[in-house]
Amino acid sequence: MTAAPEHAPTMAQSSLRDRLAPYAPLLLVPLLAIAGFIAVQNPASWMTLTVSGLAMGMMIFLMASGLTLVFGLMDVINFGHGAFVSVGAFIGISVLLTLGQLTNAPSLALNLLAILAAVLAAMAATALMGWAFERVIVKPVYGNHLSQILVTMGGLIIAEQLIIVLWGPEEIYFTRPEALKGALTFGDAAIEKYRLVTVAVGLAVFAAMRFVLRRTKIGLIVRAGVQNGEMVAALGYRLRLVFVGVFIAGSALAGLGGVMWGLYQEVITAHMGNQAMILIFIVVIIGGLGSVEGCFIGALLVGLLQNYVAFVEPKLALVSNIALMVAILMWRPMGMIPVVKAK
Amino acid sequence: MMHILLSGDLPRSRILALLLAVILICLAFAPFLFPGVRTVDTAARICIFVVLVASYDLLLGYGGIVSFAHTMFFGMGAYGVALASTHMGRGFDALLVGSLTGAGLAAGLALLIGLFSLRVRAIFFAMITLAVASAVAVLVSQLSGLTGGEDGLTFKTPRELGPAFKFGTELFGGELLGVKLNGRLLTYYLIFAGSALLFLALLRIVNSPFGRVLQAVRENDFRAEAIGYRVVYYRVTATCLSAAIAALSGSLYAIWLRYVGPDTTLSMTIMIDILLMVVIGGMGTIYGAVVGATVFVLAQNYLQNLMGVLSGMTEGLPLLPELLSPDRWLLWLGVLFILSVYFFPSGVVGRLRGQR
């Protein structure tokens, strides 16, 4: 009979490199900002570009976060997500246009009230639409990616055409509320007020999402569901209900993003959702499917890069996002912060 | 003979065989059966779209790969012919060089996209192709110096293919069965022959051992890999083949229209049309492309008239006239799209074959 082996625990600590690896994507945003500074070479323009890049990133994040959660949680790839963006923008802007008295008044409070009303209307409408979309279009095709892509694509077409039926085929131009027009100047850098509002809204939504996902029971179930849905369902949680909730919340966020995007560009078209889809997909892919943090970082990267490149070499702006996606996927084939296992 | 020509993949349904025969005869004799500029144009469009849809079916139906970049390859072929004809002058050599360059570039680009994204994850491929295709579409409309931007390029095809070219004046008096023997007729038959050849080539590809492995990969890529097939290799090859054939069909389209523009070759609408044609015809059956493209192009050309009539009839009612206006054709397309995925998943061909 041999003696039990001596108890000799090894206290190996993983190297600094290994421990830092998960946080590496976080460094990309400041790195990109520094690279942008070197490329732009003018502190004032750099400041302006950075803020507008961040603003754009925040809006893309709003639109993309719902999609990435839905994919992670229920393995549904929704090519019709852009429909919520367009519908949100059209409803929000219609509300703003009818509230002309509030938006034309030079008072910030009244303006914000009008915007709040528009945002709430848009979010309510897109939440309802998301619910219907899930019931009617997505529900019959769970578990079949090919059908999902085809069917949600059909949903996007229908939504786009219905917008044209209801609002007419022309693009709608409008101006932002009085108090949000114009720019603030910090030294030499001029920063549009609206972009600051966008950054604030984006940060607030991100913080709220993080809080819900990290600190609440619902968030725990959602995160667990993204990791392993079957296990969560086996534990007795009605994951389907949670999923519908996430779908609705994601749609509402896309609607919010649509209103912000419409106000940013001061023009809305029925195709804007379709155009936004491209950016949304890039962000979802490079962030890693199912990851809200990855989505946030990805959106900021896309927004910043697009603004810097558009300033330095306008013709390359279109290709820059694709190049970013290629680079990130070479580095991490599953996206920056992968959550969902390979399927 | 038939067996060799169709690569052993017979229609396997009497009704389907009859349907295909009728379509083939109508297309082969279209200028004589349905004289008229618009009808011949419709027939040529059907020929071209049959090839385009069949090449997409190679990807979607046989490979199980969802791509949104197919119009990009289609456009590359079309722009290849247009650019070659503009810079080399009119002539068959320009057409040939343009088509081959377009097809080569399309295959190269497909290889690049495929190598880089097919190994990652199936769902990524759909998104990445969508992003790349839209970037290319915007790029084409921006680089107006090269591509003519939004206006596109109008160019001249060889004199022999133009309406001014007459032949057979001594033999038939310039007319056969009441149809003028001119360059347009020759162009139509060039398109028809080219499409037929490409279609038979596709039929050959999907019924070859390569096609069988592709189907195995579609059904279960894990097992296919375990048996010893390099899944990535098969997927990438299918993507390249499909891209090259799509580019060739784009070349035919350019030759027929003598014009290319972003709207006619690159737009997302065409991509959706292709998807719908594949779904209606039946995925994974190359014959589905014939049925799907024919039904769709006919509907597109003639249903819009019907919708105009309906819209006029419902004039006084609220909202209905707008819903039925011919411009809202896409709306009904979307509805049809969803309904056919739900209730008609195997398409016309799958249904007919399943009936036996």
Side-chain angles (χ1 to χ4, degrees), chain B residues 82-141:
Chain B
L83 288 173
S85 296
T86 332
H87 294 294
M88 292 172 60
R90 64 204 296 192
F92 284 101
D93 53 340
L95 297 188
L96 197 68
V97 169
S99 313
L100 293 182
T101 321
L105 282 179
L109 187 60
L111 179 73
L112 218 82
I113 302 178
L115 274 182
F116 151 73
S117 53
L118 277 176
R119 54 193 312 152
V120 182
R121 189 187 262 183
I123 202 90
F124 273 13
F125 192 71
M127 301 200 219
I128 288 173
T129 49
L130 187 65
V132 172
S134 56
V136 167
V138 179
L139 210 61
V140 165
S141 54

Short mmCIF file of all heavy atoms in Angstrom, two decimals, chain B residues 82-141:
data_model
loop_
_atom_site.label_atom_id
_atom_site.label_comp_id
_atom_site.label_asym_id
_atom_site.label_seq_id
_atom_site.Cartn_x
_atom_site.Cartn_y
_atom_site.Cartn_z
N ALA B 82 -19.16 46.61 -69.52
CA ALA B 82 -19.37 48.03 -69.82
C ALA B 82 -18.04 48.76 -69.92
O ALA B 82 -17.79 49.52 -70.87
CB ALA B 82 -20.24 48.66 -68.74
N LEU B 83 -17.15 48.52 -68.95
CA LEU B 83 -15.87 49.23 -68.93
C LEU B 83 -15.01 48.80 -70.11
O LEU B 83 -14.40 49.64 -70.79
CB LEU B 83 -15.13 48.97 -67.61
CG LEU B 83 -15.75 49.68 -66.41
CD1 LEU B 83 -15.08 49.24 -65.13
CD2 LEU B 83 -15.65 51.18 -66.57
N ALA B 84 -15.00 47.49 -70.40
CA ALA B 84 -14.19 47.02 -71.52
C ALA B 84 -14.71 47.61 -72.82
O ALA B 84 -13.94 48.06 -73.68
CB ALA B 84 -14.22 45.49 -71.58
N SER B 85 -16.04 47.66 -72.96
CA SER B 85 -16.59 48.20 -74.20
C SER B 85 -16.34 49.69 -74.33
O SER B 85 -16.20 50.21 -75.44
CB SER B 85 -18.10 47.94 -74.27
OG SER B 85 -18.33 46.57 -74.32
N THR B 86 -16.31 50.40 -73.20
CA THR B 86 -16.06 51.83 -73.28
C THR B 86 -14.60 52.10 -73.64
O THR B 86 -14.31 53.00 -74.43
CB THR B 86 -16.35 52.51 -71.92
OG1 THR B 86 -17.33 51.75 -71.25
CG2 THR B 86 -16.83 53.92 -72.11
N HIS B 87 -13.69 51.33 -73.03
CA HIS B 87 -12.27 51.65 -73.20
C HIS B 87 -11.64 50.96 -74.40
O HIS B 87 -10.69 51.47 -74.98
CB HIS B 87 -11.50 51.29 -71.93
CG HIS B 87 -11.90 52.15 -70.77
ND1 HIS B 87 -11.64 53.50 -70.73
CD2 HIS B 87 -12.56 51.87 -69.62
CE1 HIS B 87 -12.13 54.01 -69.61
NE2 HIS B 87 -12.70 53.04 -68.92
N MET B 88 -12.15 49.77 -74.78
CA MET B 88 -11.53 49.06 -75.90
C MET B 88 -12.26 49.32 -77.20
O MET B 88 -11.86 48.84 -78.26
CB MET B 88 -11.52 47.56 -75.62
CG MET B 88 -10.61 47.15 -74.48
SD MET B 88 -10.81 45.42 -74.05
CE MET B 88 -10.37 44.63 -75.57
N GLY B 89 -13.36 50.04 -77.14
CA GLY B 89 -14.15 50.24 -78.35
C GLY B 89 -15.08 49.06 -78.53
O GLY B 89 -14.88 47.98 -77.94
N ARG B 90 -16.14 49.25 -79.34
CA ARG B 90 -17.10 48.16 -79.51
C ARG B 90 -16.45 46.99 -80.25
O ARG B 90 -15.61 47.19 -81.11
CB ARG B 90 -18.32 48.68 -80.26
CG ARG B 90 -18.03 49.13 -81.68
CD ARG B 90 -19.02 50.13 -82.17
NE ARG B 90 -20.36 49.54 -82.26
CZ ARG B 90 -21.36 50.14 -82.90
NH1 ARG B 90 -21.18 51.30 -83.48
NH2 ARG B 90 -22.55 49.60 -82.93
N GLY B 91 -16.83 45.80 -79.90
CA GLY B 91 -16.24 44.63 -80.55
C GLY B 91 -16.44 43.42 -79.67
O GLY B 91 -16.64 43.55 -78.45
N PHE B 92 -16.40 42.25 -80.30
CA PHE B 92 -16.61 41.03 -79.53
C PHE B 92 -15.45 40.76 -78.57
O PHE B 92 -15.63 40.16 -77.52
CB PHE B 92 -16.82 39.84 -80.46
CG PHE B 92 -18.17 39.82 -81.07
CD1 PHE B 92 -18.38 40.25 -82.35
CD2 PHE B 92 -19.26 39.39 -80.32
CE1 PHE B 92 -19.64 40.25 -82.91
CE2 PHE B 92 -20.53 39.38 -80.87
CZ PHE B 92 -20.72 39.81 -82.17
N ASP B 93 -14.25 41.25 -78.96
CA ASP B 93 -13.11 41.04 -78.07
C ASP B 93 -13.33 41.78 -76.75
O ASP B 93 -13.02 41.27 -75.68
CB ASP B 93 -11.81 41.48 -78.75
CG ASP B 93 -11.89 42.90 -79.28
OD1 ASP B 93 -13.03 43.39 -79.47
OD2 ASP B 93 -10.83 43.52 -79.49
N ALA B 94 -13.93 42.98 -76.84
CA ALA B 94 -14.20 43.74 -75.61
C ALA B 94 -15.19 42.99 -74.73
O ALA B 94 -15.01 42.89 -73.52
CB ALA B 94 -14.73 45.12 -75.96
N LEU B 95 -16.22 42.42 -75.36
CA LEU B 95 -17.22 41.67 -74.58
C LEU B 95 -16.56 40.49 -73.87
O LEU B 95 -16.79 40.25 -72.68
CB LEU B 95 -18.33 41.15 -75.49
CG LEU B 95 -19.19 42.17 -76.20
CD1 LEU B 95 -20.36 41.50 -76.89
CD2 LEU B 95 -19.69 43.22 -75.23
N LEU B 96 -15.71 39.79 -74.64
CA LEU B 96 -15.07 38.60 -74.09
C LEU B 96 -14.13 38.98 -72.94
O LEU B 96 -14.20 38.41 -71.84
CB LEU B 96 -14.30 37.88 -75.19
CG LEU B 96 -13.94 36.44 -74.88
CD1 LEU B 96 -15.21 35.60 -74.81
CD2 LEU B 96 -12.98 35.88 -75.90
N VAL B 97 -13.27 39.96 -73.21
CA VAL B 97 -12.32 40.38 -72.18
C VAL B 97 -13.06 40.88 -70.95
O VAL B 97 -12.75 40.50 -69.81
CB VAL B 97 -11.39 41.49 -72.74
CG1 VAL B 97 -10.59 42.13 -71.62
CG2 VAL B 97 -10.47 40.91 -73.79
N GLY B 98 -14.10 41.70 -71.18
CA GLY B 98 -14.86 42.25 -70.06
C GLY B 98 -15.50 41.16 -69.23
O GLY B 98 -15.41 41.15 -68.00
N SER B 99 -16.15 40.18 -69.91
CA SER B 99 -16.83 39.12 -69.17
C SER B 99 -15.84 38.29 -68.36
O SER B 99 -16.06 38.01 -67.19
CB SER B 99 -17.56 38.17 -70.11
OG SER B 99 -18.29 38.87 -71.04
N LEU B 100 -14.72 37.93 -69.04
CA LEU B 100 -13.77 37.06 -68.34
C LEU B 100 -13.10 37.79 -67.19
O LEU B 100 -12.93 37.22 -66.10
CB LEU B 100 -12.72 36.54 -69.33
CG LEU B 100 -13.29 35.58 -70.38
CD1 LEU B 100 -12.19 35.06 -71.28
CD2 LEU B 100 -14.01 34.41 -69.70
N THR B 101 -12.75 39.06 -67.40
CA THR B 101 -12.14 39.81 -66.30
C THR B 101 -13.11 39.93 -65.14
O THR B 101 -12.75 39.74 -63.98
CB THR B 101 -11.73 41.22 -66.77
OG1 THR B 101 -11.21 41.12 -68.07
CG2 THR B 101 -10.74 41.83 -65.84
N GLY B 102 -14.37 40.27 -65.49
CA GLY B 102 -15.38 40.41 -64.45
C GLY B 102 -15.52 39.12 -63.66
O GLY B 102 -15.53 39.12 -62.42
N ALA B 103 -15.63 38.00 -64.38
CA ALA B 103 -15.81 36.71 -63.71
C ALA B 103 -14.59 36.38 -62.85
O ALA B 103 -14.72 35.90 -61.72
CB ALA B 103 -16.05 35.62 -64.73
N GLY B 104 -13.40 36.67 -63.41
CA GLY B 104 -12.18 36.38 -62.66
C GLY B 104 -12.10 37.19 -61.38
O GLY B 104 -11.81 36.66 -60.30
N LEU B 105 -12.39 38.49 -61.51
CA LEU B 105 -12.34 39.36 -60.33
C LEU B 105 -13.38 38.92 -59.30
O LEU B 105 -13.11 38.91 -58.09
CB LEU B 105 -12.59 40.80 -60.73
CG LEU B 105 -11.41 41.52 -61.36
CD1 LEU B 105 -11.81 42.94 -61.73
CD2 LEU B 105 -10.23 41.56 -60.39
N ALA B 106 -14.57 38.57 -59.79
CA ALA B 106 -15.63 38.14 -58.87
C ALA B 106 -15.18 36.91 -58.11
O ALA B 106 -15.35 36.83 -56.88
CB ALA B 106 -16.91 37.86 -59.65
N ALA B 107 -14.59 35.95 -58.84
CA ALA B 107 -14.14 34.72 -58.17
C ALA B 107 -13.05 35.06 -57.15
O ALA B 107 -13.04 34.51 -56.04
CB ALA B 107 -13.63 33.73 -59.20
N GLY B 108 -12.15 35.98 -57.53
CA GLY B 108 -11.08 36.38 -56.62
C GLY B 108 -11.62 37.00 -55.34
O GLY B 108 -11.21 36.65 -54.23
N LEU B 109 -12.56 37.91 -55.52
CA LEU B 109 -13.14 38.59 -54.36
C LEU B 109 -13.90 37.59 -53.49
O LEU B 109 -13.82 37.64 -52.26
CB LEU B 109 -14.07 39.71 -54.85
CG LEU B 109 -14.62 40.61 -53.76
CD1 LEU B 109 -13.50 41.29 -53.02
CD2 LEU B 109 -15.54 41.66 -54.36
N ALA B 110 -14.62 36.67 -54.16
CA ALA B 110 -15.35 35.66 -53.41
C ALA B 110 -14.38 34.80 -52.60
O ALA B 110 -14.66 34.44 -51.46
CB ALA B 110 -16.16 34.79 -54.37
N LEU B 111 -13.24 34.50 -53.21
CA LEU B 111 -12.22 33.70 -52.50
C LEU B 111 -11.77 34.43 -51.24
O LEU B 111 -11.67 33.85 -50.17
CB LEU B 111 -11.04 33.47 -53.44
CG LEU B 111 -9.87 32.67 -52.86
CD1 LEU B 111 -10.27 31.22 -52.74
CD2 LEU B 111 -8.64 32.80 -53.72
N LEU B 112 -11.54 35.74 -51.42
CA LEU B 112 -11.07 36.55 -50.30
C LEU B 112 -12.10 36.57 -49.17
O LEU B 112 -11.78 36.27 -48.01
CB LEU B 112 -10.83 37.97 -50.81
CG LEU B 112 -9.63 38.67 -50.24
CD1 LEU B 112 -8.40 38.23 -50.99
CD2 LEU B 112 -9.80 40.16 -50.34
N ILE B 113 -13.33 36.92 -49.53
CA ILE B 113 -14.39 36.99 -48.51
C ILE B 113 -14.58 35.61 -47.89
O ILE B 113 -14.73 35.47 -46.67
CB ILE B 113 -15.72 37.46 -49.12
CG1 ILE B 113 -15.56 38.83 -49.77
CG2 ILE B 113 -16.80 37.53 -48.07
CD1 ILE B 113 -16.82 39.31 -50.43
N GLY B 114 -14.58 34.58 -48.74
CA GLY B 114 -14.83 33.23 -48.26
C GLY B 114 -13.76 32.75 -47.30
O GLY B 114 -14.06 32.29 -46.21
N LEU B 115 -12.50 32.93 -47.72
CA LEU B 115 -11.41 32.44 -46.88
C LEU B 115 -11.45 33.09 -45.51
O LEU B 115 -11.16 32.49 -44.49
CB LEU B 115 -10.06 32.78 -47.53
CG LEU B 115 -9.57 31.77 -48.54
CD1 LEU B 115 -8.23 32.19 -49.06
CD2 LEU B 115 -9.51 30.39 -47.91
N PHE B 116 -11.87 34.36 -45.54
CA PHE B 116 -11.77 35.11 -44.33
C PHE B 116 -12.99 34.94 -43.44
O PHE B 116 -12.89 34.97 -42.22
CB PHE B 116 -11.51 36.56 -44.73
CG PHE B 116 -12.01 37.55 -43.79
CD1 PHE B 116 -11.37 37.73 -42.59
CD2 PHE B 116 -13.11 38.30 -44.09
CE1 PHE B 116 -11.83 38.66 -41.71
CE2 PHE B 116 -13.58 39.21 -43.21
CZ PHE B 116 -12.94 39.39 -42.01
N SER B 117 -14.14 34.68 -44.03
CA SER B 117 -15.32 34.64 -43.17
C SER B 117 -16.01 33.28 -43.10
O SER B 117 -16.74 33.03 -42.16
CB SER B 117 -16.33 35.70 -43.61
OG SER B 117 -16.60 35.57 -44.98
N LEU B 118 -15.80 32.40 -44.07
CA LEU B 118 -16.54 31.14 -44.02
C LEU B 118 -16.05 30.24 -42.90
O LEU B 118 -16.77 29.38 -42.43
CB LEU B 118 -16.42 30.40 -45.35
CG LEU B 118 -17.40 30.85 -46.42
CD1 LEU B 118 -17.13 30.13 -47.70
CD2 LEU B 118 -18.82 30.60 -45.97
N ARG B 119 -14.80 30.43 -42.50
CA ARG B 119 -14.28 29.56 -41.46
C ARG B 119 -14.71 30.05 -40.08
O ARG B 119 -14.57 29.34 -39.11
CB ARG B 119 -12.76 29.48 -41.55
CG ARG B 119 -12.10 30.82 -41.53
CD ARG B 119 -10.66 30.74 -41.93
NE ARG B 119 -9.99 29.67 -41.22
CZ ARG B 119 -8.94 29.01 -41.69
NH1 ARG B 119 -8.46 29.33 -42.86
NH2 ARG B 119 -8.37 28.07 -40.99
N VAL B 120 -15.21 31.26 -40.03
CA VAL B 120 -15.57 31.80 -38.72
C VAL B 120 -16.89 31.21 -38.25
O VAL B 120 -16.94 30.43 -37.33
CB VAL B 120 -15.65 33.33 -38.77
CG1 VAL B 120 -15.96 33.87 -37.41
CG2 VAL B 120 -14.36 33.91 -39.27
N ARG B 121 -17.97 31.56 -38.92
CA ARG B 121 -19.26 31.13 -38.45
C ARG B 121 -20.27 31.41 -39.54
O ARG B 121 -20.22 32.45 -40.19
CB ARG B 121 -19.60 31.92 -37.21
CG ARG B 121 -20.81 31.43 -36.50
CD ARG B 121 -21.14 32.39 -35.42
NE ARG B 121 -20.65 31.96 -34.13
CZ ARG B 121 -20.89 32.65 -33.03
NH1 ARG B 121 -21.53 33.77 -33.08
NH2 ARG B 121 -20.44 32.21 -31.86
N ALA B 122 -21.18 30.49 -39.76
CA ALA B 122 -22.10 30.61 -40.89
C ALA B 122 -22.86 31.93 -40.86
O ALA B 122 -22.99 32.61 -41.87
CB ALA B 122 -23.06 29.44 -40.90
N ILE B 123 -23.31 32.29 -39.66
CA ILE B 123 -24.17 33.46 -39.57
C ILE B 123 -23.39 34.75 -39.86
O ILE B 123 -23.93 35.73 -40.34
CB ILE B 123 -24.84 33.51 -38.18
CG1 ILE B 123 -26.09 34.35 -38.23
CG2 ILE B 123 -23.89 33.98 -37.13
CD1 ILE B 123 -27.29 33.52 -38.55
N PHE B 124 -22.09 34.72 -39.56
CA PHE B 124 -21.24 35.88 -39.87
C PHE B 124 -21.22 36.14 -41.36
O PHE B 124 -21.17 37.27 -41.79
CB PHE B 124 -19.80 35.63 -39.42
CG PHE B 124 -19.55 36.02 -38.00
CD1 PHE B 124 -20.60 36.29 -37.15
CD2 PHE B 124 -18.25 36.13 -37.52
CE1 PHE B 124 -20.37 36.64 -35.84
CE2 PHE B 124 -18.02 36.48 -36.22
CZ PHE B 124 -19.06 36.74 -35.38
N PHE B 125 -21.21 35.06 -42.12
CA PHE B 125 -21.04 35.22 -43.55
C PHE B 125 -22.16 36.08 -44.13
O PHE B 125 -21.91 36.97 -44.93
CB PHE B 125 -21.02 33.85 -44.23
CG PHE B 125 -20.58 33.91 -45.66
CD1 PHE B 125 -19.26 34.18 -45.97
CD2 PHE B 125 -21.47 33.73 -46.68
CE1 PHE B 125 -18.84 34.25 -47.27
CE2 PHE B 125 -21.06 33.80 -48.00
CZ PHE B 125 -19.74 34.06 -48.30
N ALA B 126 -23.39 35.82 -43.68
CA ALA B 126 -24.52 36.60 -44.16
C ALA B 126 -24.31 38.07 -43.86
O ALA B 126 -24.49 38.94 -44.72
CB ALA B 126 -25.81 36.09 -43.54
N MET B 127 -23.91 38.37 -42.62
CA MET B 127 -23.76 39.77 -42.22
C MET B 127 -22.60 40.43 -42.94
O MET B 127 -22.68 41.56 -43.38
CB MET B 127 -23.53 39.84 -40.72
CG MET B 127 -24.62 39.24 -39.89
SD MET B 127 -24.51 39.90 -38.24
CE MET B 127 -24.87 38.52 -37.25
N ILE B 128 -21.48 39.69 -43.05
CA ILE B 128 -20.29 40.27 -43.66
C ILE B 128 -20.55 40.55 -45.14
O ILE B 128 -20.21 41.62 -45.65
CB ILE B 128 -19.08 39.34 -43.47
CG1 ILE B 128 -18.65 39.38 -42.01
CG2 ILE B 128 -17.93 39.77 -44.36
CD1 ILE B 128 -17.58 38.39 -41.65
N THR B 129 -21.21 39.59 -45.82
CA THR B 129 -21.48 39.84 -47.24
C THR B 129 -22.39 41.04 -47.41
O THR B 129 -22.22 41.82 -48.33
CB THR B 129 -22.12 38.61 -47.90
OG1 THR B 129 -23.18 38.16 -47.09
CG2 THR B 129 -21.11 37.52 -48.11
N LEU B 130 -23.36 41.18 -46.50
CA LEU B 130 -24.25 42.33 -46.59
C LEU B 130 -23.45 43.62 -46.47
O LEU B 130 -23.63 44.57 -47.23
CB LEU B 130 -25.31 42.24 -45.48
CG LEU B 130 -26.41 43.28 -45.53
CD1 LEU B 130 -27.24 43.09 -46.77
CD2 LEU B 130 -27.30 43.19 -44.32
N ALA B 131 -22.53 43.66 -45.50
CA ALA B 131 -21.73 44.86 -45.28
C ALA B 131 -20.84 45.15 -46.48
O ALA B 131 -20.79 46.28 -46.98
CB ALA B 131 -20.89 44.70 -44.02
N VAL B 132 -20.16 44.11 -46.98
CA VAL B 132 -19.24 44.31 -48.11
C VAL B 132 -20.03 44.75 -49.34
O VAL B 132 -19.64 45.70 -50.03
CB VAL B 132 -18.47 43.01 -48.41
CG1 VAL B 132 -17.68 43.15 -49.69
CG2 VAL B 132 -17.54 42.68 -47.27
N ALA B 133 -21.17 44.09 -49.58
CA ALA B 133 -21.94 44.41 -50.79
C ALA B 133 -22.42 45.85 -50.74
O ALA B 133 -22.36 46.56 -51.75
CB ALA B 133 -23.11 43.46 -50.93
N SER B 134 -22.87 46.31 -49.57
CA SER B 134 -23.39 47.67 -49.55
C SER B 134 -22.25 48.67 -49.67
O SER B 134 -22.40 49.72 -50.29
CB SER B 134 -24.19 47.92 -48.29
OG SER B 134 -23.39 47.64 -47.18
N ALA B 135 -21.08 48.33 -49.11
CA ALA B 135 -19.93 49.22 -49.27
C ALA B 135 -19.56 49.33 -50.74
O ALA B 135 -19.30 50.43 -51.24
CB ALA B 135 -18.75 48.70 -48.46
N VAL B 136 -19.57 48.20 -51.44
CA VAL B 136 -19.23 48.23 -52.87
C VAL B 136 -20.25 49.05 -53.65
O VAL B 136 -19.90 49.85 -54.51
CB VAL B 136 -19.13 46.80 -53.42
CG1 VAL B 136 -19.09 46.80 -54.94
CG2 VAL B 136 -17.90 46.11 -52.89
N ALA B 137 -21.55 48.87 -53.30
CA ALA B 137 -22.59 49.61 -54.01
C ALA B 137 -22.38 51.11 -53.83
O ALA B 137 -22.50 51.88 -54.79
CB ALA B 137 -23.97 49.19 -53.51
N VAL B 138 -22.06 51.54 -52.60
CA VAL B 138 -21.84 52.97 -52.37
C VAL B 138 -20.59 53.43 -53.10
O VAL B 138 -20.55 54.49 -53.72
CB VAL B 138 -21.73 53.26 -50.86
CG1 VAL B 138 -21.49 54.73 -50.63
CG2 VAL B 138 -22.98 52.83 -50.15
N LEU B 139 -19.56 52.60 -53.06
CA LEU B 139 -18.29 52.93 -53.71
C LEU B 139 -18.51 53.14 -55.21
O LEU B 139 -17.98 54.09 -55.80
CB LEU B 139 -17.31 51.78 -53.48
CG LEU B 139 -15.83 52.14 -53.42
CD1 LEU B 139 -15.58 53.08 -52.27
CD2 LEU B 139 -15.00 50.88 -53.27
N VAL B 140 -19.30 52.25 -55.81
CA VAL B 140 -19.54 52.35 -57.25
C VAL B 140 -20.26 53.66 -57.58
O VAL B 140 -19.94 54.32 -58.56
CB VAL B 140 -20.36 51.14 -57.74
CG1 VAL B 140 -20.93 51.39 -59.12
CG2 VAL B 140 -19.49 49.90 -57.77
N SER B 141 -21.22 54.05 -56.73
CA SER B 141 -21.92 55.29 -57.06
C SER B 141 -21.07 56.52 -56.71
O SER B 141 -21.35 57.61 -57.19
CB SER B 141 -23.29 55.34 -56.38
OG SER B 141 -23.15 55.12 -55.02
#
